[in-house]
Amino acid sequence: MFKKIQTSVGDILDFPPDVAGEGPKITITGRQEILVENYRSIINFSEEEIRLETAEGEVFFTGKELVLKTILSTELRIEGELTSLTFERGAKKNV
């Protein structure tokens, strides 16, 4: 119930999704470190590609020597040489 109220208030006040707690927040430091908050799951990972599911679709990170350094339930840290970041919009799912 709280999740529904939180979403409704965020929608009514027109907060950005990361403030309302749903959308991903991605912080990139140079090309070597990426912090991703509010992801749902890791779909695929290798040294060349990391693919995540978020509330707004999938996010693809490609690069060289990519490593998942920290994995928490809502946050992860990636290190390596980032070469590209791609978003694929998906259907919104209510969880």
Side-chain angles (χ1 to χ4, degrees), residues 15-94:
F15 286 150
D18 64 316
V19 174
E22 279 188 47
K25 180 178 178 184
I26 301 170
T27 306
I28 301 173
T29 306
R31 294 177 74 110
Q32 304 301 318
E33 184 177 79
I34 305 154
L35 177 65
V36 182
E37 299 173 81
N38 296 335
Y39 75 99
R40 288 191 175 162
S41 66
I42 300 168
I43 297 170
N44 184 38
F45 71 93
S46 69
E47 289 187 351
E48 291 82 31
E49 178 186 84
I50 297 177
R51 188 174 173 189
L52 306 175
E53 178 186 6
T54 74
E56 297 183 356
E58 294 182 6
V59 179
F60 301 85
F61 300 94
T62 56
K64 298 176 185 171
E65 300 177 6
L66 298 178
V67 177
L68 296 172
K69 283 294 199 174
T70 305
I71 303 173
L72 303 174
S73 61
T74 60
E75 174 182 310
L76 65 89
R77 185 168 55 101
I78 302 166
E79 290 184 1
E81 185 182 332
L82 179 67
T83 56
S84 72
L85 167 62
T86 306
F87 295 93
E88 183 177 294
R89 181 167 291 282
K92 278 197 167 185
K93 300 176 188 175
N94 293 327

